[in-house]
Amino acid sequence: MFNHRLLEKLKTIVNRDEERFSQTVALTEFCKDFHIGKIKGKSVFFSGDDKEQIKKILTNKGYSIDVSVDSSMSRVEKLNYGPNEKAGGGSLKRNRVSIKASGNKPLLLNGEAIQLPAMSHLDIDISQVNNTQHNAVILVENYENFNRFSESELQLPTHCNNPMVIYRGDKNESRLDAVLSFLDLIKLPVLAAVDIDPYGLVNVMGISGLSGVLAPDNGALDKLFLSPKTCRVDLYERHYLSCHSSLDNLPEKHVCKNLWRIIKANKAGVVQEQFLTLKLPLVLWY
C-alpha cells in the first residue's frame, strides 16, 4: 500500500504530459523498487511507457488514477478510489453534533419527540436534521455541564423557554465547525452557557444569533466572585491580555457587555461547573 503523498504524486505523473518531475525520497524508492523512470540529478524523468506501467501498478493495487482522495470524504467514500480508508486524513466524526433537550423534556426533531435518558444525548449528522420545534439553542462550553444539563434550573423568558442543548464540542465530538454549520441551519436564538471569564465570552461573542449568556443572577454571581472557593483570579490573568481588547470594544448593547464589566471589575472568573455544584438557577444575561 502506498502512502498518500506518494500516491498523489504518481497520479500527477501519469496525468500530466511533461516527463520531468522533482525527486523525492519516496519517489526515488518507488523508481528503484519497480525499475521505472530515470533519475538525473534532483529530477526524475518518466517516458510514456513508464507512465503506462505506473497506471497498471496503481490499477492492480485498487487505486483510482483519476480521482484524488481528500479529507472531505468519508472513509466509506475513500474505499471507492483505493484500498486505504484513512488516506488523506480527516476527522472520523465530521459534520456531527451532540444534542439533547433541557430538563426532562423530549428532544423535538424532524416532527418526533424523542425522550432520552438522563445524562445522555443524541449524536447526529447535521444532514439528517430537517426541522425542530425547539424555540432556542443553549450552546454549552464544558462537557460535564452538557452531560448533566438536566440538573440545571433555568429561568428563561417565554420566547426561549424550550431550548435544544448543544455541546460546543472538542476535537473528537461535536466539533465546532459542525456546530456552527448546525446553528446556521436551524437559525434559532443562541444562549451561551460558558465559563464566566474573558475566554468564555470571547469564544461566543461573535456567534451569529447570540441572544444572551446563561449565568446566575447578579446577587449570586457577586457572591461567587467574592468567595475564594469559587473565584478564579488565574483565569482572568491567563486570558486578559489576549481577550480584553475584543471585549472592551464590544458595542454597549452587546449581550456579553454587562458580564464583561463584572468580570473586569472583579479581575477574576468563575467556571460553570460551580453552578452545578452549588445548584444555582441560571438566568439570561442580555
Side-chain angles (χ1 to χ4, degrees):
M1 188 176 295
F2 299 127
N3 70 54
H4 183 65
R5 287 187 177 181
L6 174 59
L7 178 61
E8 294 306 310
K9 183 73 172 180
L10 294 174
K11 289 182 182 181
T12 299
I13 290 169
V14 300
N15 287 312
R16 289 186 181 176
D17 293 333
E18 58 259 41
E19 294 185 348
R20 181 177 177 274
F21 295 87
S22 298
Q23 186 180 14
T24 66
V25 173
L27 185 59
T28 301
E29 290 179 357
F30 172 85
C31 294
K32 290 179 179 178
D33 290 342
F34 290 92
H35 305 290
I36 296 174
K38 294 181 179 180
I39 300 171
K40 294 182 180 179
K42 295 182 179 181
S43 300
V44 185
F45 292 81
F46 297 94
S47 67
D49 288 340
D50 291 331
K51 292 182 181 183
E52 287 301 318
Q53 290 186 59
I54 295 173
K55 286 181 182 180
K56 289 180 181 179
I57 291 170
L58 296 182
T59 301
N60 290 338
K61 289 183 176 292
Y63 292 107
S64 167
I65 296 171
D66 302 316
V67 178
S68 293
V69 172
D70 60 51
S71 60
S72 67
M73 297 178 179
S74 71
R75 290 188 175 183
V76 173
E77 289 171 329
K78 290 174 184 178
L79 291 177
N80 290 320
Y81 309 109
N84 185 2
E85 82 285 3
K86 298 179 181 178
S91 171
L92 183 61
K93 297 185 73 174
R94 186 176 66 250
N95 296 327
R96 303 187 70 87
V97 292
S98 297
I99 57 177
K100 60 170 65 182
S102 63
N104 295 312
K105 297 177 182 178
L107 178 63
L108 306 177
L109 206 62
N110 297 345
E112 297 184 28
I114 305 168
Q115 191 67 54
L116 296 172
M119 299 180 71
S120 70
H121 61 267
L122 180 66
D123 176 352
I124 188 169
D125 191 299
I126 63 176
S127 67
Q128 300 304 303
V129 178
N130 298 320
N131 58 75
T132 178
Q133 289 71 55
H134 292 284
N135 57 12
V137 168
I138 295 178
L139 185 61
V140 185
E141 177 183 8
N142 298 332
Y143 185 80
E144 185 166 3
N145 286 76
F146 172 73
N147 189 42
R148 296 173 55 185
F149 203 83
S150 60
E151 301 173 30
S152 300
E153 180 184 340
L154 304 178
Q155 297 176 357
L156 298 175
T158 305
H159 72 276
C160 55
N161 62 358
N162 187 16
M164 176 191 292
V165 184
I166 302 180
Y167 176 41
R168 184 181 176 275
D170 51 50
K171 65 180 181 179
N172 297 314
E173 179 177 352
S174 200
R175 290 164 53 96
L176 183 58
D177 54 351
V179 169
L180 294 177
S181 294
F182 184 67
L183 294 179
D184 186 58
L185 175 69
I186 60 176
K187 299 188 186 304
L188 290 174
V190 178
L191 319 178
V194 297
D195 292 337
I196 307 304
D197 68 357
Y199 195 63
L201 296 186
V202 162
N203 276 341
V204 296
M205 68 182 193
I207 289 178
S208 178
L210 182 66
S211 298
V213 179
L214 290 172
D217 64 27
N218 196 69
L221 198 57
D222 282 344
K223 290 179 181 178
L224 293 174
F225 277 112
L226 290 172
S227 171
K229 292 183 178 180
T230 54
C231 174
R232 291 284 301 275
V233 175
D234 62 311
L235 293 179
Y236 182 83
E237 293 177 342
R238 187 187 310 164
H239 300 303
Y240 176 78
L241 287 178
S242 61
C243 297
H244 79 91
S245 179
S246 297
L247 293 167
D248 284 342
N249 290 322
L250 286 175
E252 285 302 311
K253 293 185 178 181
H254 193 281
V255 296
C256 292
K257 195 70 172 184
N258 286 331
L259 282 171
W260 171 234
R261 288 192 182 98
I262 293 172
I263 293 168
K264 194 173 182 181
N266 287 279
K267 292 184 172 56
V270 178
V271 296
Q272 64 178 147
E273 286 88 350
Q274 290 287 1
F275 311 154
L276 280 177
T277 300
L278 300 173
K279 297 179 171 54
L280 296 173
L282 303 179
V283 301
L284 190 60
W285 287 72
Y286 56 94

